[in-house]
Amino acid sequence: MALISAEFYSECLGRGTSIYAVIPEKGEGKPNKDGRYPVLWLLHGASDDYTVWQRNTSLELYLKNVGIACIMSSVDLSFYTNIDGGRYLDYTTQELPGICQKMFPISGDPADNFIAGLSMGGHGTMKAGFTYPEKYAAMGIFSCANFIDLNVQMVPGGMRSPLNFVRELVFGTIDLDLAHGTEHDNLWLAKNAAASGKKLPKIFAVCGTNDGSHDYEVQNIEYFRSLGFDCMFMDSPGGHDFYFWDQWLPVFLQWLPIRQGGIR
Amino acid sequence: MALLRVHFFSKVLHMMSTADVIMPEKAVNEGTGELPVLWLLHGGGGTQSEWHRFSNIERYASDKGIAVVMPCAGISRYCNMTYGGDYYDYIVHEMPGIFRHLFPLFSGKREMNFIAGLSLGGSGAISLGMRNPEQYGAIGVFSASSIIPLEHLRTITGGPPSPGGPGKKSVNMLNFGVENTGDLAGTEHDVLMHARNNVAEGKPIPRVFHAVGTEDHAYPVGLGLKAFFEGFEGNPYKYEFHEEPGTHNWDFWDKWVRIFLDWLKTDYVKEGA
């Protein structure tokens, strides 16, 4: 596998940004008949950046095992949302795939595209997958439930503290209850996706039993299942950390519906 | 424009290796088809990052819509080292395949692949180019002073200190298995021999662009190279020589790599996709 770090300008973000791309080298992986690899869009959590998955897990080893490419991006504290400070959802779901499909031998076929993330990246995964179910064959939700239902308390430091300030910047309100039935409500987005008649991505979800999101996530998955999503939920003792995510990442990758494209 | 750092496994070197890439994003996004590629070589003691750290190559390449691959050849003189890695094979034979795989827009056409470098990289560029005229459409040589068989014209002698420390093998010994690179005339490392043979054997002939400062220690070797190319009847290499007051530094290379890219452009616009 080749590890590529790339810096380029994003129109959606109005500035330069960085990504990691892991691309199978010649003779590795499972390219489709066009010689292009299935690809996982792997999203980071709040306060993280494009480097964390690569640094804190054996990602590259696991990817090599299943033979697919992976792209990791940086979205700051945006919750993968289009906000005044940048169109992060558009960047994640449209601009970045467009740039990467041109630069790298990755497939643009929805059947070869998967999206996953941890914590805020799980939020982004649901947001992207439920807003554009036609773009992805599968979603991976690590340690995340519908954020606006989690009753997350303000942190010390007042409104200028980034984790508080982000509520206004992203959700437009301090009172997250008001975000129900909007684009910030992943259950609402899921309902719309199910009602759209589009082919729905498969869902893999996992959460540590010591994670505060655990019971919420169980309920969310039950709800998605009731909407007609094909869901797999797993848990094990563990918290909200990379010890847990590194254990489950290879399981998720094994679960992915990767097509056997045959070597060109 | 995009700047990429690529970590990949080299079978030739049998180890992980690193190269930097400039991707002309505008050209990528406008979908103008396959990209021309400049293989741009660092100088002695340098590494894959020096061109984009010390010159404006990223801006120039982006304007011209050309991709730039900057390999790292370690302490080799872009040769298959006698006591070390096969950097010649790595850059000429292995990297093009790997990079066209990772970056499908990279052209494999001769007339859209160019090789250039500064100082020892300029010497590498002309050496690799002359030994593989079917692979490169043009060669750029900036301030090269290590051209076999013109070693007698060098004004700096002795070479860099042994990497292994005092009393250990010299860089010449590590690279070529000889102490005196003057002994390499007539061997596969003889650039001018390849240049003559290419013409005599009717091989495809790359264009050659050569620039050197008149105050550069490489100037006498530069004049020797100029005299060689001017000795051909009809200038088969379409050899262009440029000199001006200047020395062995990034002010000179930054200026001349830009002019070199201007000079290249006519090539791929005419023959490219």
Side-chain angles (χ1 to χ4, degrees):
Chain A
M1 310 294 271
L3 175 66
I4 302 171
S5 92
E7 297 162 35
F8 52 83
Y9 180 80
S10 160
E11 275 186 24
C12 284
L13 305 183
R15 56 186 176 273
T17 189
S18 298
I19 62 164
Y20 268 145
V22 179
I23 309 287
E25 293 188 52
K26 262 193 203 169
E28 292 182 320
K30 295 177 176 141
N32 65 25
K33 61 183 184 305
D34 300 326
R36 293 190 167 260
Y37 294 96
V39 59
L40 171 65
W41 304 90
L42 192 54
L43 312 185
H44 67 74
S47 307
D48 283 346
D49 71 2
Y50 72 101
T51 66
V52 290
W53 277 106
Q54 201 272 339
R55 286 157 58 196
N56 293 289
T57 73
S58 300
L59 170 68
E60 204 174 314
L61 197 61
Y62 307 148
L63 288 169
K64 187 182 171 83
N65 204 25
V66 293
I68 67 171
C70 178
I71 312 282
M72 290 155 278
S73 53
S74 273
V75 303
D76 309 317
L77 289 169
S78 71
F79 282 73
Y80 300 85
T81 307
N82 290 338
I83 57 178
D84 291 353
R87 288 164 287 156
Y88 291 94
L89 182 66
D90 292 352
Y91 171 69
T92 302
T93 58
Q94 291 164 44
E95 186 183 27
L96 183 62
I99 289 171
C100 291
Q101 282 158 19
K102 283 172 185 151
M103 283 204 292
F104 308 121
I106 59 169
S107 171
D109 187 328
D112 293 327
N113 275 257
F114 318 116
I115 188 165
L118 66 89
S119 196
M120 184 186 86
H123 178 90
T125 296
M126 289 191 267
K127 192 170 179 60
F130 295 148
T131 308
Y132 301 108
E134 70 279 11
K135 287 180 185 284
Y136 307 100
M139 299 159 56
I141 301 165
F142 289 71
S143 311
C144 178
N146 197 23
F147 183 73
I148 61 173
D149 293 330
L150 290 181
N151 195 25
V152 174
Q153 299 301 303
M154 304 279 272
V155 300
M159 269 311 293
R160 286 300 304 179
S161 169
L163 288 178
N164 296 332
F165 197 38
V166 72
R167 295 182 180 225
E168 278 189 6
L169 290 181
V170 171
F171 302 103
T173 171
I174 299 174
D175 181 358
L176 297 183
D177 252 359
L178 298 176
H180 284 104
T182 72
E183 58 161 329
H184 309 298
D185 181 346
N186 280 324
L187 302 188
W188 183 75
L189 291 176
K191 191 172 70 176
N192 292 347
S196 70
K198 293 172 180 167
K199 188 171 192 299
L200 300 176
K202 291 175 65 176
I203 294 175
F204 178 100
V206 64
C207 198
T209 50
N210 305 329
D211 189 313
S213 306
H214 178 271
D215 296 350
Y216 293 97
E217 186 167 331
V218 171
Q219 290 168 22
N220 285 178
I221 297 303
E222 275 312 309
Y223 179 64
F224 299 151
R225 205 171 265 145
S226 76
L227 293 174
F229 284 88
D230 178 353
C231 297
M232 160 85 88
F233 178 81
M234 309 286 270
D235 61 13
S236 67
H240 203 72
D241 55 44
F242 270 103
Y243 294 103
F244 181 80
W245 299 317
D246 186 46
Q247 282 182 345
W248 283 99
L249 180 61
V251 182
F252 166 65
L253 291 172
Q254 290 290 347
W255 167 90
L256 277 176
I258 298 164
R259 302 192 296 179
Q260 300 295 313
I263 305 296
R264 62 179 134 159
Chain B
M1 53 198 151
L3 177 66
L4 291 74
R5 171 152 292 177
V6 187
H7 304 271
F8 59 102
F9 183 75
S10 163
K11 285 189 183 120
V12 168
L13 301 177
H14 205 78
M15 63 181 186
M16 291 301 296
S17 61
T18 306
D20 289 353
V21 170
I22 293 166
M23 189 74 82
E25 232 189 317
K26 192 157 170 282
V28 169
N29 289 334
E30 286 173 359
T32 48
E34 58 185 326
L35 293 172
V37 182
L38 172 63
W39 300 83
L40 191 57
L41 310 182
H42 63 74
T47 186
Q48 73 278 349
S49 64
E50 68 174 26
W51 269 106
H52 65 80
R53 283 162 64 204
F54 304 128
S55 82
N56 293 302
I57 180 68
E58 185 172 342
R59 184 151 51 85
Y60 305 150
S62 186
D63 289 345
K64 299 294 178 196
I66 187 170
V68 182
V69 181
M70 291 157 281
C72 180
I75 60 160
S76 81
R77 276 175 60 168
Y78 297 94
C79 59
N80 289 337
M81 295 174 70
T82 304
Y83 301 98
D86 289 343
Y87 286 94
Y88 171 88
D89 288 343
Y90 169 66
I91 292 171
V92 171
H93 299 308
E94 186 179 36
M95 280 186 67
I98 290 174
F99 280 67
R100 282 199 287 277
H101 168 80
L102 294 175
F103 307 108
L105 285 176
F106 281 14
S107 176
K109 291 182 184 142
R110 170 183 185 272
E111 59 278 14
M112 292 177 82
N113 275 263
F114 317 108
I115 190 162
L118 68 88
S119 192
L120 202 62
S123 311
I126 194 159
S127 173
L128 272 49
M130 287 302 162
R131 293 173 71 177
N132 301 276
E134 66 292 331
Q135 191 164 327
Y136 305 102
I139 301 168
V141 184
F142 312 115
S143 315
S145 71
S146 312
I147 310 254
I148 294 161
L150 300 178
E151 295 287 89
H152 57 286
L153 297 177
R154 293 183 74 159
T155 54
I156 294 179
T157 52
S162 293
K168 301 298 181 182
K169 286 189 179 67
S170 68
V171 171
N172 279 347
M173 181 57 69
L174 292 169
N175 277 324
F176 301 116
V178 298
E179 290 296 351
N180 179 5
T181 47
D183 297 343
L184 297 169
T187 70
E188 59 173 351
H189 303 292
D190 186 329
V191 174
L192 306 189
M193 176 189 81
H194 291 292
R196 278 190 299 270
N197 291 346
N198 291 339
V199 173
E201 293 164 16
K203 290 189 175 166
I205 301 296
R207 298 190 299 153
V208 177
F209 180 101
H210 181 197
V212 62
T214 52
E215 295 137 83
D216 191 320
H217 66 78
Y219 186 61
V221 173
L223 290 182
L225 192 61
K226 173 176 183 275
F228 169 78
F229 278 106
E230 289 179 351
F232 281 108
E233 200 174 317
N235 194 15
Y237 285 95
K238 299 190 175 62
Y239 175 79
E240 256 192 53
F241 179 74
H242 299 275
E243 65 172 46
E244 64 173 13
T247 181
H248 208 72
N249 65 23
W250 283 100
D251 291 333
F252 186 86
W253 299 318
D254 183 53
K255 173 177 177 177
W256 284 96
V257 77
R258 185 178 199 173
I259 297 170
F260 171 67
L261 288 174
D262 273 335
W263 175 85
L264 276 183
K265 186 173 170 66
T266 55
D267 215 21
Y268 60 79
V269 165
K270 190 172 75 233
E271 303 179 47

